[in-house]
């Protein structure tokens, strides 16, 4: 019979031959951008372009960083940011802007569609340790799938991952059949990968700031369900989210609690202090572990920490 070695990671017992999904946030987790350079990135400019194109006279609106308070966009999703920007710059209320959210997301993607990779990558770069650990994970596909859970519009996330070299690590799992059938992101099918994205779900509630993490929790759930369709009968035993913002921690925590009926699923969180939030802030939000259900770990150096893969429970 097949003997299964056990690894004890805090209160969670992980089978070496079980299957894990690791989902990564993008900005502040996989890539960094700071100051004016980040504000001038193609992704940042796409918001102003989209809102101005759909609701204005075609010219870009005021930039996100200038028009919104930090809590309205740090750790939020592209959908919520678009709706908040439309109200802040043009006075368009969500009742009027939400029905055109898909159109705005399409305009965001169109803004980046014809840019060269070096233009997409302008102002952002992989954080220390990211490429090395992803290359290691690319050799663990028999028991680990990697994907994104990000507020980014999916088509833009695809372009960013290729532009900064993360797609080239070969760590990201292939897209689900559902994603392959989605034709919204023209000319990116060959660079698609598994994940849950800002374009997959948006509540439309821009006044309740808890939606920053609750919408992201929905994206973790979407990524997990998509992963299950790729497993050919294997059971998904562990989902680990890696992120730098309070919304990442609270989203993973929410997902852990909503999945409590699945006794075989342990949810991990690797909170990385490589964005705008300190390790202590993230630790306080994570709270105490719950045996077999919720296993948070905080890494001050993020993916530059040599124990990153151990923290994910895959070593």
């Amino acid at each position: 019979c097949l003997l299964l070695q056990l690894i004890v990671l805090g209160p969670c017992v992980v089978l070496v031959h079980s299957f894990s999904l690791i989902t990564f946030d993008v900005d502040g987790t996989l890539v960094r951008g700071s100051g004016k350079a980040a504000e001038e990135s193609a992704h940042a400019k796409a918001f102003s372009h989209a809102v101005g194109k759909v609701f204005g006279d075609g010219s870009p609106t005021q930039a996100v960083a200038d028009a919104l308070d930090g809590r309205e966009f740090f750790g939020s999703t592209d959908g919520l940011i678009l709706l908040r920007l439309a109200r802040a710059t043009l006075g368009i209320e969500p009742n009027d802007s939400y029905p055109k959210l898909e159109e705005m997301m399409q305009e965001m993607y169109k803004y980046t569609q014809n840019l060269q990779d070096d233009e997409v990558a302008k102002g952002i770069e992989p954080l220390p340790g990211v490429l090395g650990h992803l290359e290691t994970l690319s050799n663990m596909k028999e028991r680990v799938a990697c994907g994104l859970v990000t507020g980014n519009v999916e088509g833009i996330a695809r372009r960013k991952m290729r532009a900064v070299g993360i797609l080239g690590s070969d760590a990201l799992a292939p897209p689900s059949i559902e994603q392959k059938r989605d034709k919204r992101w023209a000319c990116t099918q060959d660079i698609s990968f598994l994940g849950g994205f800002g374009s997959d779900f948006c509540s439309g509630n821009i006044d309740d700031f808890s939606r920053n993490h609750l919408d992201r929790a929905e994206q973790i759930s979407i990524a997990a369900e998509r992963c299950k369709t790729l497993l050919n009968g294997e059971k998904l035993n562990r989902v680990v989210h890696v992120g730098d913002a309070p919304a990442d921690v609270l989203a993973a925590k929410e997902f852990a609690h909503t999945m409590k009926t699945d006794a075989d699923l342990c949810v991990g969180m690797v909170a990385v202090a490589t964005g705008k939030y300190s390790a202590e802030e993230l630790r306080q939000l994570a709270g105490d572990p719950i045996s077999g259900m919720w296993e948070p770990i905080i890494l001050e150096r993020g993916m530059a920490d040599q124990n990153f893969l151990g923290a994910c429970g895959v070593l």
Side-chain angles (χ1 to χ4, degrees), residues 57-264:
D57 60 6
S59 59
T61 66
Q62 190 177 16
V64 169
D66 295 327
L68 302 181
D69 181 75
R71 66 175 181 161
E72 294 183 285
F73 61 93
F74 289 140
S76 190
T77 66
D78 283 9
L80 292 175
I81 295 169
L82 283 166
L83 298 177
R84 288 169 177 150
L85 187 64
R87 182 165 70 179
T89 59
L90 298 175
I92 310 294
E93 293 295 331
N95 285 345
D96 296 316
S97 57
Y98 187 75
K100 293 192 173 184
L101 183 58
E102 178 62 34
E103 185 179 349
M104 286 192 286
M105 289 182 177
Q106 282 292 316
E107 288 298 335
M108 282 188 73
Y109 173 64
K110 288 177 184 177
Y111 180 82
T112 66
Q113 184 177 358
N114 295 319
L115 297 178
Q116 297 299 311
D117 280 353
D118 60 343
E119 296 175 283
V120 175
K122 185 179 179 181
I124 59 175
E125 62 181 347
L127 280 156
V130 166
L131 294 179
H133 278 122
L134 289 179
E135 287 168 6
T136 300
L137 284 165
S138 72
N139 295 313
M140 303 171 70
K141 291 180 180 178
E142 73 284 355
R143 55 190 175 89
V144 181
C146 294
L148 297 190
V149 162
T150 172
N152 290 191
V153 166
E154 184 169 1
I156 293 177
R158 292 175 180 180
R159 291 298 316 277
K160 285 168 73 173
M161 292 303 95
R162 184 176 70 180
V164 300
I166 287 173
L167 188 67
S169 71
D170 197 35
L172 297 175
S176 66
I177 293 175
E178 173 198 358
Q179 289 175 272
K180 290 179 180 178
R181 289 173 177 166
D182 187 346
K183 304 302 182 185
R184 288 180 293 173
W185 320 117
C187 305
T188 64
Q189 287 300 317
D190 60 331
I191 57 172
S192 59
F193 45 79
L194 180 68
F197 302 87
S199 45
D200 290 323
F201 180 86
C202 180
S203 64
N205 187 342
I206 63 175
D207 293 313
D208 180 359
F209 286 105
S210 70
R211 291 311 317 183
N212 285 352
H213 75 265
L214 293 175
D215 279 25
R216 193 171 293 252
E218 295 285 350
Q219 292 156 9
I220 297 176
S221 180
I222 289 168
E225 290 304 311
R226 287 173 172 171
C227 180
K228 290 176 184 178
T229 68
L230 302 175
L231 295 186
N232 297 319
E234 292 183 79
K235 188 168 180 61
L236 182 62
N237 295 99
R238 185 171 176 84
V239 175
V240 181
H241 183 55
V242 184
D244 71 294
D248 289 299
V249 177
L250 295 173
K253 198 173 186 178
E254 175 70 17
F255 176 67
H257 283 81
T258 59
M259 294 300 295
K260 62 186 176 183
T261 54
D262 188 344
D264 296 326

